[in-house]
């Protein structure tokens, strides 16, 4: 059974959209505060990889408040399109893009990862930062990404993993289970959002399991770069 944010009859997709709408006003602060700013370094590593590929058209799925899309502004891309199922997150992302005067380069719209609103073979690269574990059907979402990529195009997925070595693993899960939910509840005023996070990470198919999922979706040469002692990973594959 899929982990969902709320005890509700709504689909996971609907619940995730509701959750991010609820916390959108505090999401950026919480994201950077609760990760101690490390998430910014992880995004920079994604951008560094993308620069090597030099894609012209990039799609950022589950773009949220557009942190990764904005970080990719100096990647050399000529067009960056972001999609998300939370209008609340997109509204904040659009404001950030406007403040940075990046409207000529980055555009955001509502979009479902499992029914991407673009034609086949359109993008040189597709990115997803901390979004795949929120997909209702991860394989279907990855297959959709494969569809909209050009032949030779690449997928880059930044996602939480599970550290394997003592004491990082023990500290990691203590933080996720006991500290993050408390601060998340206090600041966001949505207790479900920050209890959902550790639960969704716990069931996410990380490491070799996710590489296998990429292969099932059709991607070649799936690879994994562990970050910060295995706290997160950058997964990639080629169409």
């Amino acid at each position: 059974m899929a982990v969902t944010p709320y005890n509700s009859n709504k689909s996971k997709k609907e619940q995730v959209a509701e959750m991010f709408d609820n916390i959108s006003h505090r999401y950026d602060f919480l994201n950077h505060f609760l990760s101690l700013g490390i998430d910014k370094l992880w995004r920079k590593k994604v951008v560094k990889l993308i620069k090597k590929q030099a894609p012209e058209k990039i799609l950022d799925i589950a773009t949220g408040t557009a942190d990764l899309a904005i970080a990719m502004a100096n990647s050399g891309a000529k067009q960056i399109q972001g999609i998300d199922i939370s209008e609340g997150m997109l509204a904040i992302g659009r404001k950030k893009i406007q403040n940075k005067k990046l409207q000529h380069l980055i555009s955001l719209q509502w979009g479902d990862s499992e029914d991407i609103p673009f034609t086949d073979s359109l993008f040189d690269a597709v990115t997803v930062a901390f979004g795949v574990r929120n997909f209702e059907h991860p394989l279907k979402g990855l297959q959709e990404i494969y569809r909209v990529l050009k032949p030779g195009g690449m997928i880059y997925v930044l996602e939480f993993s599970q550290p394997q070595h003592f004491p990082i693993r023990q500290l990691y899960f203590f933080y996720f289970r006991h500290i993050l939910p408390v601060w998340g509840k206090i600041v966001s005023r949505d207790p479900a959002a920050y209890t959902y996070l550790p639960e969704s990470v716990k069931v996410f198919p990380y490491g070799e399991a996710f590489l296998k999922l990429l292969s099932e979706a059709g991607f070649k040469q799936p690879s994994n770069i562990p970050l910060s002692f295995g706290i997160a990973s950058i997964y990639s594959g080629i169409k």
Side-chain angles (χ1 to χ4, degrees):
M1 185 175 179
V3 173
T4 56
Y6 306 112
N7 184 16
S8 165
N9 291 327
K10 295 179 180 179
S11 68
K12 177 175 179 176
K13 191 178 302 179
E14 291 172 318
Q15 292 186 50
V16 167
E18 180 182 349
M19 178 189 75
F20 281 114
D21 282 344
N22 289 343
I23 67 173
S24 59
H25 65 295
R26 301 300 284 163
Y27 178 79
D28 280 340
F29 168 77
L30 277 166
N31 204 26
H32 304 320
F33 172 70
L34 293 172
S35 72
L36 306 177
I38 298 173
D39 64 303
K40 295 180 181 179
L41 298 177
W42 295 339
R43 287 185 182 87
K44 286 181 179 179
K45 288 185 180 292
V46 174
V47 175
K48 188 175 181 180
L49 291 173
I50 287 173
K51 280 184 175 180
K52 292 179 181 178
Q53 184 197 347
E56 290 191 359
K57 296 183 72 172
I58 301 174
L59 173 63
D60 186 36
I61 293 177
T63 193
T65 62
D67 269 353
L68 182 55
I70 291 169
M72 291 190 292
N74 66 352
S75 67
K78 295 180 180 178
Q79 181 184 348
I80 301 170
Q81 176 70 56
I83 63 171
D84 202 281
I85 59 172
S86 167
E87 287 289 358
M89 299 283 275
L90 288 170
I92 291 172
R94 292 187 186 105
K95 288 179 183 177
K96 288 161 65 174
I97 290 166
Q98 185 175 3
N99 290 340
K100 292 179 179 293
K101 302 187 185 327
L102 292 171
Q103 303 97 311
H104 65 288
L105 178 62
I106 306 172
S107 57
L108 306 183
Q109 71 177 68
W110 189 94
D112 184 348
S113 62
E114 295 173 21
D115 187 17
I116 298 173
F118 297 106
T119 57
D120 297 357
S121 305
L122 184 61
F123 296 96
D124 302 295
V126 176
T127 59
V128 194
F130 308 113
V132 174
R133 63 189 157 74
N134 296 322
F135 289 4
E136 189 156 8
H137 305 100
L139 180 57
K140 185 177 180 182
L142 293 175
Q143 289 170 334
E144 269 290 273
I145 291 170
Y146 186 90
R147 178 184 68 78
V148 301
L149 274 170
K150 295 178 182 178
M154 292 194 66
I155 182 176
Y156 302 90
V157 174
L158 172 60
E159 190 54 84
F160 286 112
S161 298
Q162 295 187 28
Q164 297 302 302
H165 300 294
F166 178 87
I168 302 298
R169 181 177 176 84
Q170 286 71 21
L171 291 170
Y172 174 81
F173 281 107
F174 178 82
Y175 178 78
F176 258 49
R177 290 167 180 162
H178 302 289
I179 297 175
L180 185 145
V182 172
W183 280 103
K185 176 182 178 180
I186 292 169
V187 179
S188 73
R189 299 181 182 177
D190 186 340
Y194 288 89
T195 53
Y196 163 75
L197 174 58
E199 289 302 314
S200 65
V201 171
K202 184 178 179 181
V203 301
F204 181 74
Y206 67 96
E208 289 297 325
F210 190 74
L211 294 179
K212 184 179 179 181
L213 207 58
L214 284 172
S215 294
E216 286 182 43
F219 289 100
K220 301 174 183 176
Q221 300 177 34
S223 64
N224 172 22
I225 302 174
L227 304 172
S228 303
F229 305 102
I231 292 174
S233 295
I234 299 174
Y235 301 95
S236 63
I238 305 172
K239 178 174 179 178

